Amino acid sequence: MNSPKDSPSRPPATPAAGPVAAPVVGMVGAGQLARMTQQAAIALGIELRVLAGARDESAAKVIVDTRLGDYRDLADLREFAKGCDAVTFDHEHVPTGHIQALAAEGRAVHPGADALVHAQDKAVMRERLTAIGAPCPAWARVEDLAGVEAFAGEHGWPVVLKAVRGGYDGRGVWVCSSPDEARAALDTGVDLLAEAFVPFEREIAVLVARSPHGQGVSYPVVETVQQDGICVEVIAPAPDLGEEEAAYAQRVALTIARDLGVTGLLAVEMFVTKTGLVVNELAMRPHNSGHWTIEGARTSQFEQHLRAVLNLPLGSPSMTAPVVVMANLLGGPDPDVYARYEHVLANDPGIKIHFYGKDVRPGRKIGHVTALGTDLDEVRARARHAVTCLRGPVDA
């Protein structure tokens, strides 16, 4: 028998093969934003978990790790957060106290409650933005018609009344030209604030990302086109916006993200007026104004959000084409969208179509299309033609 010193040398032991340990991001909410975040998570090697109210929600249909629960129930949130490296949101409706409780228990929550409240409560937002010097319209809290009339006496009619919490896509906003119209808004019983009407020329949005260690990036400024209070089109970059004004808009958005302590994405919607820019709304999550980035930017907003909440280095926000147009696909009277799908693809092989897995109802956002190119008029026409064809005949 050979002695140990005479034994042939053996290669060092290798660890047993196994899966790469991937970080887990928990996203509260299972709408289309979570659904599109899954695409980015796969490419980054990240496990995405979502909290859904039902199995038929948009993201729940495509994400394996779907947990059922109520975002308003702290016990459900606690159970959902177990094993997550970071918790984030695809909507702003989680109660502030619940977010604070998760953070107090050591959960990494992005954005935190102190930041997210500015997207949840418009009065808190206006107070803070005014304090840091962001450009805002005149505003005041109002409780009754006398308060609205006093505000109108100082700033004139029309007066814009907004629900302090819960409004979106034009809901919870009343443009009132008289006391009678204001009374109708007050009769809804929701808490309101009043803002001076802004005679804007167009609307723009700036999407920025900020990580926990303070790195920040800004995407190009985009123009958003609204119809009946709903965004129907996004143009990147915003046409005919001077370099100086665009840079100023980006600085405003990055300053807001820093001063509010935002981690993750921040969308800042602004009005362009004859005298300058005015901040309208904030959202702290992936945003409709950033859907164009999936094909139109080096790093999509969904990948950027995941990078930010995990404190990874942020990706390049630069564009992949000189012009990108995203058009929202709203449901029409004919729900058989797929009957027209192949014809749209055949007509324009360069168009990109995203469906959200939602039932078709007139006026409901069921997807979007993106077109890229060099000529704005041509790219815009392609995007509009695609959504018009997909929606189907008006008289169907």
Side-chain angles (χ1 to χ4, degrees):
M1 180 180 292
N2 293 333
S3 65
K5 67 178 181 179
D6 296 326
S7 298
S9 61
R10 297 177 180 178
T14 56
V20 175
V24 177
V25 174
M27 182 167 272
V28 178
Q32 65 259 29
L33 299 180
R35 183 186 180 102
M36 287 183 277
T37 302
Q38 171 70 345
Q39 298 170 322
I42 292 169
L44 283 173
I46 290 169
E47 298 292 333
L48 184 66
R49 174 187 301 173
V50 296
L51 182 65
R55 286 286 176 190
D56 62 354
E57 291 182 11
S58 179
K61 293 179 177 180
V62 297
I63 296 177
V64 173
D65 194 358
T66 294
R67 312 291 176 91
L68 296 182
D70 187 341
Y71 65 84
R72 296 162 296 190
D73 187 311
L74 180 55
D76 284 358
L77 288 171
R78 282 179 168 141
E79 184 63 28
F80 173 76
K82 290 178 180 178
C84 291
D85 294 277
V87 175
T88 188
F89 315 95
D90 89 337
H91 60 73
E92 291 94 353
H93 307 310
V94 178
T96 305
H98 292 1
I99 301 172
Q100 292 170 331
L102 291 178
E105 294 163 7
R107 301 297 178 189
V109 184
H110 301 291
D114 290 345
L116 188 61
V117 69
H118 298 92
Q120 296 173 321
D121 189 306
K122 292 181 176 62
V124 172
M125 176 195 74
R126 285 295 180 216
E127 288 172 350
R128 183 66 176 141
L129 293 185
T130 301
I132 67 176
C136 294
W139 71 280
R141 295 176 184 264
V142 291
E143 297 180 355
D144 51 30
L145 187 58
V148 176
E149 290 181 314
F151 184 85
E154 184 176 357
H155 301 287
W157 296 97
V159 171
V160 180
L161 296 180
K162 293 184 176 181
V164 171
R165 284 181 174 262
Y168 68 97
D169 278 353
R171 298 175 179 87
V173 178
W174 298 265
V175 180
C176 305
S177 298
S178 67
D180 286 343
E181 292 182 1
R183 185 181 292 108
L186 290 162
D187 286 346
T188 61
V190 300
D191 292 337
L192 297 174
L193 62 79
E195 291 182 356
F197 180 80
V198 178
F200 61 91
E201 298 176 336
R202 57 177 171 158
E203 297 182 61
I204 61 173
V206 187
L207 188 68
V208 300
R210 183 173 178 272
S211 65
H213 70 255
Q215 183 188 7
V217 299
S218 174
Y219 286 90
V221 182
V222 301
E223 179 173 347
T224 61
V225 180
Q226 316 292 322
Q227 183 177 311
D228 299 325
I230 298 175
C231 178
V232 295
E233 189 177 61
V234 176
I235 305 168
D240 303 318
L241 189 70
E243 288 185 15
E244 193 170 305
E245 192 170 24
Y248 172 68
Q250 291 174 314
R251 286 198 303 272
V252 168
L254 286 167
T255 298
I256 291 172
R258 181 197 66 199
D259 288 0
L260 271 55
V262 175
T263 48
L265 285 177
L266 170 70
V268 183
E269 300 178 31
M270 303 182 187
F271 294 133
V272 178
T273 75
K274 293 184 182 300
T275 56
L277 301 179
V278 175
V279 175
N280 181 30
E281 303 281 359
L282 303 179
M284 295 181 192
R285 50 171 171 74
H287 191 254
N288 192 211
S289 67
H291 291 352
W292 66 272
T293 62
I294 297 174
E295 291 86 20
R298 300 294 175 189
T299 308
S300 78
Q301 67 164 343
F302 302 99
E303 178 182 340
Q304 201 77 281
H305 188 66
L306 290 172
R307 286 177 177 239
V309 301
L310 288 171
N311 214 10
L312 297 172
L314 300 181
S316 169
S318 62
M319 296 181 63
T320 59
V323 177
V324 183
V325 174
M326 185 283 297
N328 278 319
L329 174 60
L330 306 181
D334 180 6
D336 193 8
V337 177
Y338 272 95
R340 298 173 291 277
Y341 181 57
E342 65 176 291
H343 300 290
V344 173
L345 293 179
N347 178 70
D348 188 349
I351 207 82
K352 298 296 181 181
I353 303 173
H354 297 260
F355 291 112
Y356 301 156
K358 293 183 173 183
D359 293 338
V360 178
R361 293 199 303 265
R364 186 188 199 189
K365 287 181 188 175
I366 58 171
H368 72 267
V369 305
T370 306
L372 298 82
T374 58
D375 180 81
L376 174 58
D377 291 339
E378 181 263 339
V379 174
R380 197 174 191 183
R382 288 169 52 210
R384 288 180 171 181
H385 181 266
V387 294
T388 299
C389 291
L390 288 168
R391 193 178 188 200
V394 174
D395 296 325

